[in-house]
């Protein structure tokens, strides 16, 4: 596999700790990096992003082989990890640094994301509107090392956060039934 055949996708869906494992476990995913994007501060720290003064949101950047796992499949996996009706954060994590967003890297990704969002809206799975933003990708800054693959490094804390935030229950209630 040459580098030219790989693509990049960037998704924000609340706490980035909970956005890695669902993608990393899929065939065709090469890397999933937790980081920050969408803001006006270069190389922000976690503390700066948490201050809600940088404009950044926590996100994951995924490098993938589209011949094995397509962008459309990534979108499906993304929706199933989020509450797409909540623009003010995700689950227990509140504020703009936790807002849901799809950051597209090409016109094809933009079109696919918009079509996917429209299909979800039309499905009436949710009684509220789908408010996840679809935005052009901008600079992405990897988070500090201790945030990378957090679910592997700190499985007990990760599970407690995944359950305690309300994310796991929301997924069970809205996506697994």
């Amino acid at each position: 596999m040459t580098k030219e055949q790989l693509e990049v996708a960037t998704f924000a869906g609340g706490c980035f700790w909970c956005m890695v494992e669902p993608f990393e476990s899929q065939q065709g995913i090469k890397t999933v990096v937790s980081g920050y994007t969408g803001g006006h501060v270069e190389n922000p720290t976690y503390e700066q992003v948490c201050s809600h003064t940088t404009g950044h949101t926590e996100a994951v950047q995924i490098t993938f082989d589209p011949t094995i796992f397509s962008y459309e499949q990534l979108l499906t996996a993304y929706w199933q990890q989020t509450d797409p009706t909540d623009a003010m954060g995700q689950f227990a994590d509140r504020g703009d640094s936790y807002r849901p967003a799809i950051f597209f890297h090409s016109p094809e990704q933009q079109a696919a994301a918009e079509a996917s969002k429209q299909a979800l809206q039309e499905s009436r799975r949710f009684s509220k509107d789908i408010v996840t933003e679809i935005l052009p990708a901008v600079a992405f800054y990897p988070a500090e090392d201790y945030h990378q693959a957090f679910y592997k490094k700190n499985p007990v804390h990760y599970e407690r956060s995944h359950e305690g935030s309300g994310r796991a229950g929301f997924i069970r209630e809205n996506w697994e039934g």
Side-chain angles (χ1 to χ4, degrees):
M1 173 66 45
T2 65
K3 193 172 187 168
E4 290 73 35
Q5 294 172 304
L6 298 177
E7 292 185 23
V8 174
T10 305
F11 300 125
C15 176
F16 49 33
W17 290 351
C18 295
M19 293 295 292
V20 175
E21 188 275 332
F23 295 104
E24 200 170 67
S25 63
Q26 303 298 324
Q27 291 285 330
I29 304 302
K30 301 304 178 188
T31 62
V32 182
V33 177
S34 296
Y36 316 109
T37 193
H40 54 81
V41 174
E42 288 186 29
N43 297 308
T45 66
Y46 180 70
E47 290 74 22
Q48 288 174 310
V49 173
C50 287
S51 75
H52 302 283
T53 60
T54 67
H56 285 290
T57 188
E58 290 189 14
V60 291
Q61 192 159 81
I62 303 163
T63 302
F64 66 103
D65 179 344
T67 66
I68 298 173
F69 203 81
S70 70
Y71 186 71
E72 288 75 13
Q73 288 172 295
L74 283 173
L75 289 166
T76 297
Y78 168 76
W79 292 121
Q80 294 177 12
Q81 301 309 311
T82 69
D83 176 354
T85 69
D86 186 354
M88 301 310 294
Q90 290 289 281
F91 314 106
D93 298 311
R94 310 310 303 156
D96 61 341
S97 63
Y98 297 110
R99 71 185 188 270
I102 297 168
F103 295 91
F104 60 85
H105 292 265
S106 68
E108 293 80 16
Q109 284 188 359
Q110 180 182 14
E114 289 174 355
S116 179
K117 179 178 176 178
Q118 184 65 34
L120 183 57
Q121 180 70 44
E122 291 173 359
S123 77
R124 295 285 174 225
R125 176 179 288 274
F126 298 98
S127 59
K128 299 185 226 172
D129 287 339
I130 306 304
V131 296
T132 300
E133 294 179 289
I134 299 173
L135 304 166
V138 293
F140 179 88
Y141 302 99
E144 297 81 353
D145 285 343
Y146 70 93
H147 288 299
Q148 303 304 329
F150 189 83
Y151 77 100
K152 290 179 183 175
K153 294 176 185 174
N154 295 288
V156 173
H157 188 165
Y158 168 76
E159 283 301 321
R160 193 169 50 242
S161 176
H162 193 252
E163 261 318 312
S165 69
R167 184 185 296 265
F170 181 89
I171 292 168
R172 282 191 298 272
E173 183 178 319
N174 291 281
W175 294 106
E176 293 176 356

